[in-house]
Amino acid sequence: RGVVCEVDAHDAPLAALALSSDAALLASASTKGTVIRVFSLPQATKLYTFRRGAYAATVFSLSFS
């Protein structure tokens, strides 16, 4: 049986999501494109917030390496 959690990531709709290969991290970006957030899973604890800038931008994809 899987673990279910709710991630309160952004006020705007999501534009991109990325899951790390071990499923321990989730990254998200909204359609505004000003902030990227990284959460630990399964607790959905916010670990990092990266501010890209004050002006909107289109985020097409996210990835972990």
Side-chain angles (χ1 to χ4, degrees), residues 15-16 25 51-52 65:
L25 300 173
R51 180 157 293 279
R52 192 214 47 80
S65 62

Side-chain angles (χ1 to χ4, degrees), residues 31-63:
T31 54
K32 285 179 63 177
T34 55
V35 172
I36 295 169
R37 293 198 170 101
V38 178
F39 300 88
S40 67
L41 296 177
Q43 300 86 2
T45 303
K46 188 185 328 177
L47 298 177
Y48 306 103
T49 299
F50 300 102
R51 180 157 293 279
R52 192 214 47 80
Y55 299 104
T58 302
V59 176
F60 291 100
S61 67
L62 297 169
S63 67

